[in-house]
Amino acid sequence: VVTVLRSESPHLKEGQTMPLHEADALFAKLDAEYPAGMGYDKTKFRIDFTFRGKPDNYEGRQDFGDGDGSLIQHIRGYHEYYAQDESWKNHVLHHEGPEAWEADKAQRDMLLHEFIPYMELHCNLAAMEQEARRPLRSGETLTPEQTAYFNAVLDYVKECRPLLNQGQYHLPEPPQLADFDQSLQDYKKQIETIRRVLKNAER
């Protein structure tokens, strides 16, 4: 969940909360639509999440109009910049010492290579969930196979979120519509039977 702590944008309110995937898309939109040459809208945010099985949070600031893109793109760009910035490295080494620099490097490495992919996977699951819910709620006529498939996608999302939050990033394969198409399954069985008959005939 993303909370807006403070913002100069008229489109956001202090204390406003939204799911990560919504904030990611909204921040991208506000950044892209900000009038060129008009400065920027400073926006301080906090993300609350369960990471490696424990409650955690991340705080940052994105300036709409700076061209950072979505919320996740902003976080990636920010840490990539400081991971490669020699003056920042020298500053930490000079003021805090080599141990502090190693800790800083390890933290950024974790954010770039674990936390950001973790957030992206959560956004992917949210997109899958929306795509499956839309036809189920729209009232359009669905075949029994389509209904079973969309419900299986919702079950898949429900199963994967806790896995992600426990630190398991290699998620099971998502359901495929083809697996629920009975006529296709029947056709595959027929082909299999023909292959078996032909093999036996060759013997």
Side-chain angles (χ1 to χ4, degrees), residues 62-79:
Q62 182 169 348
D63 298 341
F64 303 137
D66 259 7
D68 283 357
S70 73
L71 176 59
I72 294 174
Q73 285 170 337
H74 155 73
I75 295 170
R76 180 187 281 114
Y78 178 85
H79 291 291

Side-chain angles (χ1 to χ4, degrees), residues 14-192:
E14 195 173 307
Q16 184 178 344
T17 63
M18 63 197 101
L20 173 66
H21 67 280
E22 283 181 18
D24 194 52
L26 179 59
F27 280 33
K29 184 173 180 282
L30 293 176
D31 185 60
E33 290 176 356
Y34 194 86
M38 298 287 288
Y40 48 81
D41 279 343
K42 295 196 284 284
T43 299
K44 201 160 187 274
F45 62 86
R46 186 183 74 237
I47 309 172
D48 291 286
F49 50 92
T50 303
F51 191 63
R52 298 176 184 168
K54 291 177 183 167
D56 206 341
N57 67 74
Y58 173 97
E59 284 193 19
R61 192 188 97 184
Q62 182 169 348
D63 298 341
F64 303 137
D66 259 7
D68 283 357
S70 73
L71 176 59
I72 294 174
Q73 285 170 337
H74 155 73
I75 295 170
R76 180 187 281 114
Y78 178 85
H79 291 291
E80 279 176 348
Y81 175 84
Y82 279 101
Q84 295 159 14
D85 187 51
E86 282 298 314
S87 59
W88 171 250
K89 178 183 176 179
N90 294 333
H91 171 84
V92 175
L93 284 169
H94 180 73
H95 291 281
E96 298 175 52
E99 277 183 23
W101 171 244
E102 285 306 316
D104 185 275
K105 217 161 53 165
Q107 175 72 358
R108 282 189 211 285
D109 197 56
M110 181 278 291
L111 288 165
L112 286 167
H113 299 113
E114 188 179 354
F115 180 55
I116 287 170
Y118 155 90
M119 289 196 292
E120 287 174 332
L121 284 167
H122 265 299
C123 286
N124 290 347
L125 288 176
M128 282 178 79
E129 185 178 44
Q130 282 178 323
E131 282 301 302
R133 276 199 201 287
R134 188 183 48 74
L136 288 170
R137 287 178 171 171
S138 68
E140 62 189 91
T141 307
L142 301 172
T143 65
E145 288 81 19
Q146 286 174 320
T147 304
Y149 164 69
F150 292 131
N151 280 309
V153 170
L154 295 179
D155 288 341
Y156 171 81
V157 170
K158 212 168 163 184
E159 177 197 343
C160 287
R161 281 189 173 129
L163 295 177
L164 257 185
N165 291 343
Q166 291 299 324
Q168 294 181 44
Y169 306 117
H170 297 291
L171 300 174
E173 282 295 310
Q176 303 295 323
L177 181 56
D179 299 334
F180 292 84
D181 190 333
Q182 199 52 54
S183 57
L184 183 64
Q185 294 307 307
D186 292 344
Y187 174 71
K188 280 181 181 171
K189 277 179 194 163
Q190 282 174 351
I191 295 293
E192 236 4 86

